[in-house]
Amino acid sequence: MNKINQLRAFLLIALIGLVSTLHAGIGVSLKGVDSHLTSSGEVELQLHFSTSAPTPHVFLWTKPSRTVFDFKNVMLATPMRDMLIKKANIDKIIVREAENKLRLVVHQSVFSDYSIEKRDNNLIIRFDKPINKVETPIQNINKAKTSLVPELTTPVWNTITESSQVKEIKQYWKPQQIKSNHSRELRKIDFRREADGSGKVILTLPTADTQVEVHRTGSTIRLLMNDVDVPKHLAKRLDVLDFATPVTYIETTQRQLGTKVVIYAKGNIEYKTERKGRNYQIIISKKLNPRLKKKKKVFKGEKLSLNFQDIEVRAVLQLLADFTDKNIVVSDSVDGSITVRLKDVPWDQALDIVLE
C-alpha cells in the first residue's frame, strides 16, 4: 500500500512538473481581459499578458458574425469564464486554449472595423461603432459560409485546422509583414491653433484625389481613408491639450484597408473641412450658444447733446424724460452721480449709456 501511495505521489509530482515545464516553455500567458465603452462609441478590449503582448492571427466568420484572434505559444494564467459584454455591437467574448494556442472569439451582432495597439504587456483592441447596419465592413472579401469557431467545453484544435476546415478570410493585422506602398502613405499630420482659438488639423495625403470620409460622434471626429498606409512615425497619439483649443488629442492608426485618424475634442463643437490639393484641413471650434450672442442695438431716437459733470443719475433721467416727453420711473434705490458728455446722439442711446 505504501508503494502504491509513493507511486501516486511520484506521478502527481511528475505531472505538476510537466505542466510547469510546458508553461515555462511557452512563457506568455493571458492574465485577464477588460472591456469598456469609450466616449466615441467604440468598444475597447484590454488583454493583459504576463510579458510583452504578442501579435494575433486574425480570422473573420459570418453567419453568425465572429472576429477571432489566435495567439500561438500563449496559455491562460487562470481559467476564464465567458464574458457578456452587451456594448454597442459586441455581445460577448469567449476564450479557449489547447496545446500551445489560445483563441479569443468576439461575438458581434454586426461586423465593424477595428484597430490594434500594443502597450507594453497589454494589447488594446478597439472596435468601431458601426455607422450603418451592414453585414460586413469589408467589401470584396469572400467569407466562410458557416461558423467553425470552437466553443467546445473540451477544445479540440486538431479538428479545426486553418488549412482545411476553416477558410482564412483576411489576416489584416501582422505589422511585421505589412508591405508598405510608399506612394500610398500618409505624408504628414500637423496641428495649429487659429487666432480665434479653434484648432486646425492638417493632413498631407498621398495624392490630391485621395478620398476622406468624415464621421462625427458627439465631440469625436473620425477621418477614414481607404487604401492609405500609415508610416510608423505617424502611427501614434498626438497630445495637443497645451494649445488651449477644443481639440485634446489626435490618434492615428492603421486599419484593415486604410488609415483612421480620430480627433478627440471637448465641449459643444462645430467643424468645417477645406481641401487644397493634397492638403486636407479640418477646423474645430467651439459652438456658441445663440442665446449668448448679443444683438446689435439700433437707436432711432431724436438726437440730443449732454454735457454735465458730477450730476446725479436721477437728474439725468429726469432730463431725458422731459426731452422725450415720456414717463420714466426711477426706484428709490437709484443713487450716485455721473459725468456725461454726449454730442448729437439719439436720446435712446443716451438713455442706454446712462442705464449701463
Side-chain angles (χ1 to χ4, degrees), residues 102-298:
L102 184 138
R103 173 167 289 183
L104 185 142
V105 184
V106 180
H107 290 231
Q108 297 171 276
S109 57
V110 179
F111 274 116
S112 64
D113 198 3
Y114 75 90
S115 63
I116 298 181
E117 178 186 352
K118 289 185 181 182
R119 295 181 186 172
D120 298 327
N121 295 352
N122 300 322
L123 191 71
I124 313 298
I125 306 176
R126 295 189 188 92
F127 289 88
D128 289 353
K129 179 180 179 182
I131 299 171
N132 297 313
K133 292 291 183 179
V134 295
E135 182 178 353
T136 170
I138 305 176
Q139 300 178 354
N140 302 324
I141 297 178
N142 295 322
K143 288 185 166 34
K145 295 183 179 179
T146 58
S147 173
L148 296 174
V149 176
E151 299 176 8
L152 309 176
T153 55
T154 303
V156 185
W157 290 86
N158 293 334
T159 62
I160 307 176
T161 59
E162 298 172 359
S163 58
S164 58
Q165 295 186 12
V166 177
K167 184 176 180 181
E168 181 178 354
I169 306 306
K170 185 77 174 175
Q171 184 181 346
Y172 46 75
W173 187 262
K174 294 192 70 176
Q176 68 276 17
Q177 295 185 6
I178 292 178
K179 295 181 180 179
S180 178
N181 182 358
H182 294 286
S183 64
R184 296 298 304 172
E185 278 189 349
L186 186 65
R187 297 289 190 265
K188 186 179 179 182
I189 300 177
D190 196 8
F191 181 80
R192 299 175 185 173
R193 186 183 190 276
E194 299 293 274
D196 60 355
S198 59
K200 178 190 289 187
V201 180
I202 305 173
L203 305 180
T204 304
L205 305 174
T207 60
D209 60 351
T210 302
Q211 298 299 314
V212 180
E213 297 179 22
V214 183
H215 304 282
R216 174 180 174 177
T217 305
S219 57
T220 301
I221 301 173
R222 290 183 294 170
L223 307 177
L224 306 179
M225 291 155 279
N226 290 331
D227 197 24
V228 175
D229 294 327
V230 182
K232 290 183 178 180
H233 69 281
L234 294 181
K236 60 183 179 181
R237 176 177 292 187
L238 183 63
D239 189 345
V240 295
L241 188 61
D242 292 340
F243 284 83
T245 71
V247 183
T248 55
Y249 59 90
I250 306 162
E251 188 174 36
T252 306
T253 56
Q254 180 81 48
R255 58 198 292 267
Q256 291 98 314
L257 299 179
T259 295
K260 178 173 70 173
V261 178
V262 184
I263 303 172
Y264 296 90
K266 57 184 178 180
N268 192 13
I269 63 167
E270 56 186 0
Y271 73 92
K272 64 179 180 179
T273 60
E274 299 176 357
R275 185 158 191 164
K276 299 177 182 178
R278 292 194 306 167
N279 288 335
Y280 186 91
Q281 303 177 357
I282 180 166
I283 303 171
I284 299 96
S285 57
K286 290 183 179 180
K287 187 175 183 180
L288 298 177
N289 189 339
R291 296 179 181 179
L292 300 179
K293 294 181 179 179
K294 291 185 177 181
K295 294 182 179 179
K296 187 176 180 181
K297 296 180 179 180
V298 179

